[in-house]
Amino acid sequence: VRFPLGALTKDEVRAEADYTAAILLDDDNASLYTGRAGTLLQMGKTEAEMADFASAGDHGGADAGELNNLCWEQATGGVALEAALKDCDKALQMEPRNAATLDSRGFVLMRLGRWSDSIADYNKASGIRPDSAESLFGRALAKAGAGDKAGAAADLAEARKLDAGIDEEFASYGLKAPAP
């Protein structure tokens, strides 16, 4: 299950206001900052978004789940990728075999063009959670980036068997499957 707070809403202005009100009540909650940052990303408010990602990191540094959520939001938004990588690394120091965090770090590394590192993380994530369409699709993108067309095609086929909507999910992150 992916972290839902940063998901695109139909009413970003209201979502931003709701997050702001919640932060006023609980200003030490990393999830609220991460959620508002995701909303601000959708709204194109880059400076405020980056400030919220930094606040989330300040408040979520002791919790592997919060660090993974922060990593994932930055990675899917394609922002602060080096910071996202550090957040994933911290989370993996706490929980080294967390498939979701390995998947998130694989995604960051793929965005950074570090194909072999990305594939390695996706391999680890798939070893723990072999039925993850997200990990297979991400690994397919990394394999395509590394020039392994056959491996990419095999992973894409398997990912699509597991989740018919996987292409749309990754399209929402600005990523498309390579052409055969």
Side-chain angles (χ1 to χ4, degrees):
V1 175
R2 292 287 179 209
F3 188 67
L5 292 177
L8 180 63
T9 65
K10 292 180 182 178
D11 186 357
E12 289 89 358
V13 173
R14 182 174 175 168
E16 179 187 12
D18 288 347
Y19 280 121
T20 299
I23 288 168
L24 289 172
L25 296 172
D26 185 4
D27 69 350
D28 198 32
N29 186 325
S31 295
L32 296 175
Y33 287 103
T34 301
R36 187 170 68 178
T39 299
L40 294 168
L41 172 67
Q42 297 299 329
M43 296 171 76
K45 294 183 176 183
T46 307
E47 191 173 312
E49 162 209 344
M50 296 309 290
D52 273 2
F53 278 135
S55 292
D58 292 342
H59 297 292
D63 181 89
E66 290 298 334
L67 288 166
N68 178 49
N69 292 337
L70 180 58
C71 173
W72 180 252
E73 285 295 328
Q74 292 172 106
T76 57
V79 297
L81 295 175
E82 291 297 334
L85 185 58
K86 288 178 185 176
D87 292 331
C88 273
D89 288 343
K90 285 183 208 171
L92 286 168
Q93 286 174 356
M94 294 176 211
E95 296 179 7
R97 290 193 35 84
N98 185 299
T101 305
L102 287 163
D103 178 87
S104 296
R105 188 169 71 177
F107 194 98
V108 172
L109 293 165
M110 183 258 307
R111 285 258 199 207
L112 289 169
R114 292 175 51 186
W115 311 123
S116 60
D117 293 334
S118 176
I119 292 166
D121 276 351
Y122 279 125
N123 285 341
K124 290 176 192 171
S126 292
I128 297 165
R129 193 179 58 188
D131 60 344
S132 170
E134 293 85 0
S135 293
L136 288 165
F137 197 95
R139 185 171 69 185
L141 295 177
K143 284 181 177 180
D148 179 3
K149 290 184 180 189
D155 282 348
L156 284 173
E158 186 63 27
R160 289 171 176 152
K161 273 194 245 177
L162 292 168
D163 181 353
I166 194 69
D167 286 276
E168 291 79 18
E169 179 181 340
F170 274 76
S172 74
Y173 311 139
L175 300 169
K176 293 185 180 177

